[in-house]
Amino acid sequence: MNPNVPFRGIIAYPITPFTADSAVDLPTYRHLVERLVASGSHGIAPLGSTGVLPYLTDEERDAVAEATMQQVAGRVPVLVGVSHLTTAGAVRHARFAEQAGAAGVMVIPMSYWKLTDDEIFRHFDRVASAISVPIMAYNNPATGGLDMSPTLLKRLLEIPNVTMIKESSGDVQRMQALRQLLGEDVAFYNGSNPLALAAFAAGATGWCTAAPNLIPELNLGLYKAVQRQNLGEARQLFYQQFELLQFIVAKGLPRAIKAGLELQGQPAGELRAPLQPLTETEQQELRRILNRVPQEVAVS
Amino acid sequence: MNPNVPFRGIIAYPITPFTADSAVDLPTYRHLVERLVASGSHGIAPLGSTGVLPYLTDEERDAVAEATMQQVAGRVPVLVGVSHLTTAGAVRHARFAEQAGAAGVMVIPMSYWKLTDDEIFRHFDRVASAISVPIMAYNNPATGGLDMSPTLLKRLLEIPNVTMIKESSGDVQRMQALRQLLGEDVAFYNGSNPLALAAFAAGATGWCTAAPNLIPELNLGLYKAVQRQNLGEARQLFYQQFELLQFIVAKGLPRAIKAGLELQGQPAGELRAPLQPLTETEQQELRRILNRVPQEVAVS
Amino acid sequence: MNPNVPFRGIIAYPITPFTADSAVDLPTYRHLVERLVASGSHGIAPLGSTGVLPYLTDEERDAVAEATMQQVAGRVPVLVGVSHLTTAGAVRHARFAEQAGAAGVMVIPMSYWKLTDDEIFRHFDRVASAISVPIMAYNNPATGGLDMSPTLLKRLLEIPNVTMIKESSGDVQRMQALRQLLGEDVAFYNGSNPLALAAFAAGATGWCTAAPNLIPELNLGLYKAVQRQNLGEARQLFYQQFELLQFIVAKGLPRAIKAGLELQGQPAGELRAPLQPLTETEQQELRRILNRVPQEVAVS
Amino acid sequence: MNPNVPFRGIIAYPITPFTADSAVDLPTYRHLVERLVASGSHGIAPLGSTGVLPYLTDEERDAVAEATMQQVAGRVPVLVGVSHLTTAGAVRHARFAEQAGAAGVMVIPMSYWKLTDDEIFRHFDRVASAISVPIMAYNNPATGGLDMSPTLLKRLLEIPNVTMIKESSGDVQRMQALRQLLGEDVAFYNGSNPLALAAFAAGATGWCTAAPNLIPELNLGLYKAVQRQNLGEARQLFYQQFELLQFIVAKGLPRAIKAGLELQGQPAGELRAPLQPLTETEQQELRRILNRVPQEVAVS
């Protein structure tokens, strides 16, 4: 594998579980990471939106990054989220991740005040200069508050170790425009769960998703059908998981994944306030959806 | 073919050309329709947005519908646009289309005042009761001014001869939700050109498009690759046409198709004011894009 | 009054009532116009959105324009809506309105295909060249489908007989930007009912509204308080009518005004399909709102 | 003054200046606070968006809150921003502010994951329970990422010490709806600078603004004209400052205020990365706008 583009396929996002007194519950976290590796994910991505990165202190983020490395132990590459509102904070976390052994880091230009394109470029440039591992630039207007245009993303790719793009704007045309603009060698990743099929059809290198916490076989099956270029099988596997993908996005990934894990009999810890568990009604809806998911995935 | 769902594949939309004094130019129109049939389109759809339906008088619409029937002469099914702001107007045009020999009619609930779901249902119900041929319900918030939810579309399908749905909201998740809600037997059609690949991946029965006026081989090649479930080939053919699809949507289909036809040496008539030709700069951009389109489409 | 800017204050929009067989009910229409004049409106505006202009045939539009002139009989100036999707249609209706005696005409650049700024300018220029009476350029993205920027509106005002602007984008900042850009002599009119107070505060010359069909005293009272620059009184009168203004906008003006007239014991005719009457529940809500409106308006 | 509603009029927001090595520059900060008090502001609001609250560490926030109290020294009430992504963080900062002597605290439910109404209510309830001073609930979808409906805001006001609402959604209808829903005794504050006139016309108790850093006389003059219910004078004063208000919002308050202070010969420190200074062109535009602002404000 190209060391500058160390991720492909199913890149799985663990949640960050908390104890009853709202400390990070590292033993449970490591259990959840182990499940993701064991079930076949091609990469592990701690400290993403799913891992409630923005709600963690600097020290908690360090602890989660280290625990991931120890648990994964080199079996698959690890992509550490290092986003921070300040440039200095992002640099600090990127350096820590590199030293801890991350194969790459993910940076979303978080925004309180809308940043100009020049401010965003400078932010990435300073983070990139501080480390040697490759960076995945992450566009997610809904959570990050900023929408990076294909043109800006192209500019970011001129920074030597910015080599990957994750698109979560929810519009498949954006991914297509990226590939049109950047050529078919660009490594772009899909972060919108309900667009998994469309993104793979458009040529995505990988799918960044929290779904393998609940349905790893279906996620991996879809990717394998795409690798075989078998559209019919890919479509069938996609619709078997589409309802669940819609649900976990609609309810918020940390809340929905926690509820799903508990329905599957797994420990999932507590959420950190202000996040609250799904309501009873939402949990019942999730149970019905999970019950409709095929127990075994028949892949040719 | 199921007579209730008489359309599949590439459903081609001709423009409506005008003479210098702004009359409908029927001879040029018939020439353009002939090209679409001869190049292999699976259906012809006069009086759509591309055909500037809302800018035509009742008499002009009748004349265009009849000219289409005569020119197509039964070689492929014809889908006539019969949308009208008033219910009485839509009924009148639907009856005319049926008598003229249309295999189906397309109805978009045009809106000046936003219609309630009940008003939309009643509108479709009255049109459907007045004819026997099947109806394609067309959702296009950008031009029609109304966004019909998947739930409303499901309700419309309870009307016996509403059997097809055309989605042009530009969001592939809407098509996926339709199929999720309605089952895999529902016939949905994609009306968003840049979503052609994603829509076929999602299971669309056909693609309603003006692009065959300019690049019929690529359009048909994509559909054939999809029929063979060959994702890699479909992707390759899609990206060969994606830039042109983006351009014709961005500039408005009637203006862009007219300019493209003229660049290809075809007569295309005049536009009706207030629509004006593309600027010089836009025409040059279109020329560059058309020059980049492969001359021959290699399909396995 | 400046003959180039013949409108100020409360410009009242009648609905267009229909008979049971969906013909325009001219006697009822004239009765409704008479009420608007008798209750003190400063101008009458037939064939607006309220008057369901887009749902009328050319002949019906002529008949409504003529009936308005005859009924008003010069007591107040009349502003005739002449919008049409085609430029030729707008020219035809503008000429008719001028000959019938309109003090001005209102033109919204209706859109099916999004028009470029040049197409919009040319549309206005051709209508303006065909008549001598002043034109009110009308911006209403929600119904017209096009949003004219302050810059484009400034350009339109360079056409000699385009002298007035009606803003219905629902954003008071747009009106403020117009006045900033055009100077305090520009005549701009508010078409967003719930913004009546904010628009007058921003310096609007008049308020284009269907509300005088139901609550003329409150509408006129607000205008008079503004003329006296009495902010406290204006605010008080505004909040007495705000709930009704919100309701009629939320439900659609023709439907809501018809229901309100009937609750007040006035004839209001039928709506033309696809428009349908308010539901029972909506009518009860309207009754409660009308009951809360003060019976007498105490103006200093 | 009602101790539960300790703010009215012009509530001024200082920026937070930084030293060359990105530490908070407290001496410069205190100088800027002194100017705001000396020029007549009715309240001071540290640690708002203008003060780049989200980019500060917990310790820096404490230091800024304390410095404000010391500098203001009881001359006017102080409103301390205590927002934090986690509930525990917001509680911690609210307690600190109360102990430091804040007359009230401002809470915006910051969001990474969209919060449900119940999550937001619980967040406010826990902060409110931890302190005795009144809370201003702040709605700003553009920076906070969440839009609190008038209905939710009404519910928040049921918490005893949530007594004030600041609306920055940019839509004056929202403020009007609040007053309609909550009665004329509700204390709502406008946080959208370009809506200052419309908000006061609608009955706002105060204006939360960074503009007094640059043009305190105009800001205060507008408020005084409104207090005298003189609409004509209020309108005149508003348009004298409208262009500047638009500029500082368009460019981001911290960046624009810093540039304006420097143009006025005041020390303003550095920004914290990723925020960067205005470009040369933007600074020249700001200079032109400031030059057009009247040197003296003639208030009757």
Side-chain angles (χ1 to χ4, degrees):
Chain A
M1 182 173 287
N2 179 349
N4 292 323
V5 182
F7 299 96
R8 68 170 178 89
I10 302 301
I11 300 144
Y13 283 64
I15 61 168
T16 300
F18 297 90
T19 63
D21 56 353
S22 209
V24 174
D25 179 350
L26 286 176
T28 300
Y29 175 75
R30 291 178 67 150
H31 169 75
L32 295 174
V33 169
E34 182 60 30
R35 287 179 76 242
L36 293 172
V37 177
S39 59
S41 300
H42 303 108
I44 300 293
L47 299 168
S49 300
T50 304
V52 294
L53 165 100
Y55 301 76
L56 302 182
T57 66
D58 289 351
E59 295 69 29
E60 289 170 333
R61 289 166 64 160
D62 293 350
V64 168
E66 281 190 328
T68 315
M69 294 307 161
Q70 291 168 6
Q71 190 64 38
V72 174
R75 288 175 288 173
V76 294
V78 173
L79 175 73
V80 178
V82 300
S83 308
H84 197 271
L85 267 168
T86 67
T87 302
V91 165
R92 180 209 174 289
H93 288 294
R95 285 187 173 139
F96 186 92
E98 180 175 32
Q99 287 159 12
V105 299
M106 186 170 74
V107 177
I108 182 171
M110 295 174 72
S111 148
Y112 188 82
W113 287 104
K114 300 289 170 253
L115 302 179
T116 65
D117 281 6
D118 280 341
E119 287 172 336
I120 294 170
F121 181 84
R122 192 181 288 245
H123 181 73
F124 273 93
D125 196 44
R126 282 182 48 189
V127 176
S129 304
I131 57 173
S132 302
V133 293
I135 292 177
M136 184 184 287
Y138 178 22
N139 189 42
N140 190 337
T143 51
L146 272 174
D147 193 0
M148 296 190 283
S149 66
T151 307
L152 173 58
L153 290 170
K154 181 180 181 182
R155 194 176 153 206
L156 293 180
L157 288 171
E158 294 168 7
I159 301 172
N161 53 334
V162 177
T163 61
M164 301 169 281
I165 292 174
K166 175 180 170 190
E167 248 298 339
S168 293
S169 62
D171 179 4
V172 71
Q173 296 190 47
R174 293 289 286 271
M175 295 183 228
Q176 296 171 176
L178 275 175
R179 186 175 141 142
Q180 183 82 17
L181 193 65
L182 300 170
E184 56 183 276
D185 292 335
V186 68
F188 69 89
Y189 300 78
N190 169 44
S192 291
N193 285 303
L195 289 183
L197 175 63
F200 277 133
T205 299
W207 175 16
C208 297
T209 175
N213 287 288
L214 303 180
I215 50 166
E217 289 195 5
L218 279 170
N219 307 140
L220 292 159
L222 172 58
Y223 177 63
K224 288 172 188 163
V226 169
Q227 281 187 297
R228 286 192 306 272
Q229 306 290 3
N230 188 327
L231 178 54
E233 197 175 6
R235 182 188 300 128
Q236 183 183 358
L237 285 161
F238 174 69
Y239 278 109
Q240 288 175 350
Q241 59 195 290
F242 177 53
E243 197 177 7
L244 182 67
L245 300 178
Q246 286 183 296
F247 181 89
I248 61 177
V249 169
K251 301 304 177 186
L253 295 171
R255 301 171 73 221
I257 296 298
K258 169 188 153 69
L261 286 167
E262 289 171 349
L263 288 169
Q264 293 183 343
Q266 297 294 327
E270 303 298 321
L271 297 162
R272 176 167 280 179
L275 297 183
Q276 300 295 331
L278 295 191
T279 64
E280 265 307 314
T281 310
E282 290 170 326
Q283 290 179 41
Q284 286 166 16
E285 188 185 349
L286 176 55
R287 184 193 308 269
R288 279 191 298 272
I289 293 171
L290 282 170
N291 284 343
R292 280 197 287 268
V293 170
Q295 293 306 301
E296 291 192 18
V297 176
V299 175
S300 62
Chain B
M1 183 172 286
N2 179 348
N4 291 324
V5 182
F7 299 97
R8 67 171 179 89
I10 304 300
I11 300 143
Y13 282 65
I15 61 168
T16 300
F18 296 90
T19 63
D21 56 351
S22 209
V24 174
D25 179 351
L26 286 176
T28 299
Y29 175 76
R30 293 179 65 152
H31 169 75
L32 295 173
V33 168
E34 182 59 31
R35 287 179 76 242
L36 293 171
V37 176
S39 59
S41 301
H42 302 109
I44 301 292
L47 299 167
S49 300
T50 304
V52 294
L53 164 102
Y55 302 76
L56 302 182
T57 65
D58 289 350
E59 294 71 29
E60 289 171 335
R61 291 168 62 161
D62 293 350
V64 168
E66 282 191 325
T68 315
M69 295 306 162
Q70 291 168 6
Q71 190 65 37
V72 173
R75 288 174 289 175
V76 294
V78 174
L79 175 73
V80 178
V82 301
S83 308
H84 198 271
L85 268 168
T86 67
T87 302
V91 166
R92 178 208 175 288
H93 288 293
R95 285 185 173 140
F96 187 92
E98 180 175 33
Q99 286 159 12
V105 300
M106 185 171 73
V107 176
I108 182 172
M110 294 173 73
S111 147
Y112 188 81
W113 287 104
K114 300 289 172 254
L115 301 179
T116 65
D117 280 6
D118 280 340
E119 287 172 335
I120 294 170
F121 182 83
R122 192 182 287 245
H123 181 74
F124 272 93
D125 196 45
R126 283 181 48 189
V127 176
S129 304
I131 57 174
S132 304
V133 293
I135 292 177
M136 183 184 287
Y138 177 23
N139 189 40
N140 189 336
T143 51
L146 273 175
D147 194 1
M148 296 190 284
S149 67
T151 308
L152 174 58
L153 290 169
K154 181 179 182 183
R155 192 175 155 206
L156 293 181
L157 288 170
E158 294 168 8
I159 302 172
N161 53 334
V162 177
T163 61
M164 303 170 281
I165 292 174
K166 176 180 170 189
E167 248 298 339
S168 293
S169 62
D171 179 4
V172 70
Q173 295 190 48
R174 294 288 286 271
M175 295 183 227
Q176 295 172 177
L178 275 174
R179 187 174 140 146
Q180 184 82 17
L181 193 64
L182 301 171
E184 57 183 275
D185 291 335
V186 66
F188 68 89
Y189 300 79
N190 168 45
S192 291
N193 285 302
L195 290 183
L197 176 63
F200 277 134
T205 299
W207 176 15
C208 297
T209 175
N213 287 288
L214 303 180
I215 49 167
E217 289 195 5
L218 279 169
N219 308 139
L220 291 160
L222 173 59
Y223 177 62
K224 287 171 188 163
V226 170
Q227 280 187 300
R228 286 192 307 273
Q229 306 289 4
N230 187 327
L231 179 54
E233 196 174 9
R235 183 189 301 128
Q236 183 183 358
L237 286 160
F238 174 68
Y239 278 109
Q240 288 175 350
Q241 59 196 291
F242 177 52
E243 196 178 8
L244 181 67
L245 299 178
Q246 287 184 294
F247 182 89
I248 62 177
V249 169
K251 301 304 176 184
L253 295 170
R255 298 173 74 221
I257 296 297
K258 168 190 154 69
L261 286 168
E262 288 171 349
L263 288 169
Q264 292 184 341
Q266 295 294 327
E270 304 297 323
L271 296 161
R272 174 168 282 180
L275 298 182
Q276 301 293 331
L278 295 191
T279 64
E280 264 308 313
T281 309
E282 290 170 326
Q283 290 179 41
Q284 287 166 16
E285 188 186 350
L286 177 54
R287 185 193 308 270
R288 280 192 297 271
I289 292 171
L290 282 172
N291 284 343
R292 280 197 287 268
V293 169
Q295 293 306 301
E296 290 191 19
V297 176
V299 177
S300 62
Chain C
M1 184 172 286
N2 179 348
N4 292 323
V5 182
F7 299 96
R8 67 170 179 89
I10 303 301
I11 301 143
Y13 283 64
I15 61 168
T16 300
F18 296 90
T19 63
D21 56 352
S22 209
V24 175
D25 179 351
L26 287 176
T28 299
Y29 175 75
R30 292 180 66 152
H31 169 75
L32 295 173
V33 169
E34 182 59 30
R35 287 179 76 243
L36 293 171
V37 176
S39 59
S41 301
H42 303 109
I44 300 294
L47 299 168
S49 298
T50 305
V52 293
L53 165 100
Y55 302 76
L56 302 183
T57 66
D58 290 350
E59 295 69 30
E60 288 170 335
R61 291 167 62 161
D62 294 348
V64 168
E66 281 190 327
T68 315
M69 294 306 162
Q70 290 168 7
Q71 190 65 37
V72 174
R75 288 175 288 174
V76 294
V78 173
L79 175 73
V80 178
V82 301
S83 308
H84 197 270
L85 268 168
T86 67
T87 302
V91 165
R92 179 207 174 289
H93 287 294
R95 285 186 172 139
F96 187 92
E98 179 174 33
Q99 286 159 13
V105 300
M106 186 170 73
V107 177
I108 183 172
M110 294 173 73
S111 148
Y112 189 80
W113 287 105
K114 299 291 172 252
L115 301 179
T116 65
D117 281 6
D118 280 341
E119 287 173 335
I120 294 171
F121 182 84
R122 193 182 286 244
H123 181 75
F124 272 93
D125 196 45
R126 283 182 48 188
V127 175
S129 303
I131 57 174
S132 303
V133 293
I135 291 176
M136 184 183 287
Y138 177 24
N139 190 40
N140 190 336
T143 50
L146 273 174
D147 193 1
M148 295 191 284
S149 67
T151 307
L152 173 58
L153 290 170
K154 181 180 182 184
R155 192 175 155 207
L156 292 181
L157 287 171
E158 293 167 8
I159 302 171
N161 53 334
V162 177
T163 60
M164 303 170 281
I165 293 174
K166 176 180 170 189
E167 248 299 339
S168 293
S169 61
D171 179 5
V172 71
Q173 295 190 48
R174 293 290 285 271
M175 295 184 226
Q176 294 172 176
L178 274 175
R179 185 173 141 147
Q180 183 82 16
L181 192 66
L182 299 171
E184 58 183 274
D185 291 336
V186 66
F188 68 89
Y189 300 78
N190 169 44
S192 291
N193 285 302
L195 289 183
L197 175 63
F200 277 135
T205 300
W207 176 17
C208 297
T209 175
N213 286 289
L214 302 180
I215 50 166
E217 288 195 6
L218 279 169
N219 307 140
L220 291 159
L222 172 58
Y223 177 63
K224 287 172 188 162
V226 169
Q227 281 187 298
R228 285 192 307 272
Q229 307 289 4
N230 188 327
L231 178 54
E233 196 174 9
R235 183 187 302 128
Q236 183 182 0
L237 285 160
F238 174 69
Y239 278 108
Q240 289 175 348
Q241 59 195 291
F242 177 54
E243 196 177 8
L244 181 67
L245 299 178
Q246 287 184 294
F247 182 89
I248 62 177
V249 169
K251 300 304 176 185
L253 296 170
R255 299 171 74 220
I257 296 298
K258 168 188 154 68
L261 286 168
E262 289 171 350
L263 287 169
Q264 292 183 342
Q266 296 294 326
E270 302 298 322
L271 296 160
R272 174 168 281 181
L275 298 182
Q276 300 294 331
L278 294 191
T279 64
E280 263 309 313
T281 310
E282 290 171 327
Q283 290 179 42
Q284 287 166 16
E285 187 186 349
L286 177 54
R287 185 194 309 269
R288 280 192 297 271
I289 291 171
L290 281 171
N291 284 343
R292 280 198 286 269
V293 169
Q295 294 306 301
E296 290 192 19
V297 177
V299 178
S300 63
Chain D
M1 182 174 288
N2 180 349
N4 292 323
V5 182
F7 299 96
R8 66 170 179 89
I10 303 300
I11 300 145
Y13 283 64
I15 62 169
T16 300
F18 297 91
T19 63
D21 57 352
S22 209
V24 174
D25 180 350
L26 286 176
T28 300
Y29 175 74
R30 292 179 65 150
H31 169 76
L32 295 174
V33 169
E34 182 59 31
R35 286 179 77 240
L36 292 171
V37 176
S39 59
S41 300
H42 303 109
I44 301 292
L47 299 168
S49 300
T50 304
V52 293
L53 164 99
Y55 302 76
L56 302 182
T57 65
D58 288 351
E59 295 69 29
E60 288 171 334
R61 291 167 63 161
D62 292 349
V64 168
E66 281 191 328
T68 315
M69 294 307 162
Q70 291 168 6
Q71 190 65 37
V72 173
R75 288 175 288 172
V76 294
V78 174
L79 175 72
V80 177
V82 301
S83 308
H84 197 271
L85 268 168
T86 67
T87 302
V91 165
R92 179 210 174 288
H93 288 294
R95 285 187 172 138
F96 186 93
E98 180 175 33
Q99 285 158 14
V105 300
M106 186 170 73
V107 177
I108 182 172
M110 294 174 73
S111 148
Y112 188 82
W113 287 104
K114 300 290 170 254
L115 302 179
T116 65
D117 281 6
D118 279 341
E119 287 173 335
I120 294 170
F121 181 83
R122 191 181 287 244
H123 182 74
F124 272 93
D125 197 43
R126 283 182 47 188
V127 176
S129 303
I131 57 174
S132 303
V133 294
I135 293 178
M136 184 184 288
Y138 177 23
N139 189 41
N140 189 338
T143 52
L146 272 174
D147 193 1
M148 296 191 284
S149 67
T151 307
L152 173 58
L153 290 169
K154 181 179 182 183
R155 193 175 153 207
L156 293 181
L157 288 171
E158 293 168 7
I159 302 171
N161 52 335
V162 177
T163 61
M164 303 169 280
I165 293 174
K166 175 179 170 190
E167 247 298 339
S168 293
S169 62
D171 179 4
V172 72
Q173 296 190 48
R174 293 288 286 271
M175 296 182 227
Q176 294 171 177
L178 275 175
R179 186 175 141 143
Q180 183 82 16
L181 193 65
L182 300 170
E184 57 183 277
D185 291 335
V186 66
F188 67 90
Y189 301 78
N190 169 44
S192 291
N193 286 302
L195 288 184
L197 175 63
F200 277 134
T205 299
W207 176 16
C208 296
T209 176
N213 287 289
L214 303 179
I215 51 167
E217 289 196 5
L218 279 169
N219 308 139
L220 291 159
L222 172 59
Y223 177 63
K224 289 172 187 162
V226 169
Q227 281 187 300
R228 286 192 306 274
Q229 306 289 5
N230 188 328
L231 178 54
E233 197 175 7
R235 183 189 300 129
Q236 184 183 358
L237 285 160
F238 174 70
Y239 278 109
Q240 288 175 350
Q241 59 195 291
F242 177 52
E243 196 177 7
L244 182 67
L245 299 177
Q246 286 183 295
F247 182 89
I248 62 178
V249 169
K251 301 303 176 186
L253 295 171
R255 300 172 74 220
I257 295 298
K258 168 188 153 68
L261 286 168
E262 289 171 350
L263 288 169
Q264 291 183 344
Q266 296 294 328
E270 303 298 322
L271 296 162
R272 176 168 280 180
L275 297 183
Q276 300 294 330
L278 294 192
T279 64
E280 265 307 314
T281 310
E282 290 171 327
Q283 290 180 41
Q284 286 166 17
E285 188 185 349
L286 177 55
R287 184 193 308 270
R288 280 192 298 272
I289 292 172
L290 281 170
N291 284 343
R292 280 197 287 271
V293 169
Q295 293 306 301
E296 292 191 19
V297 176
V299 176
S300 64

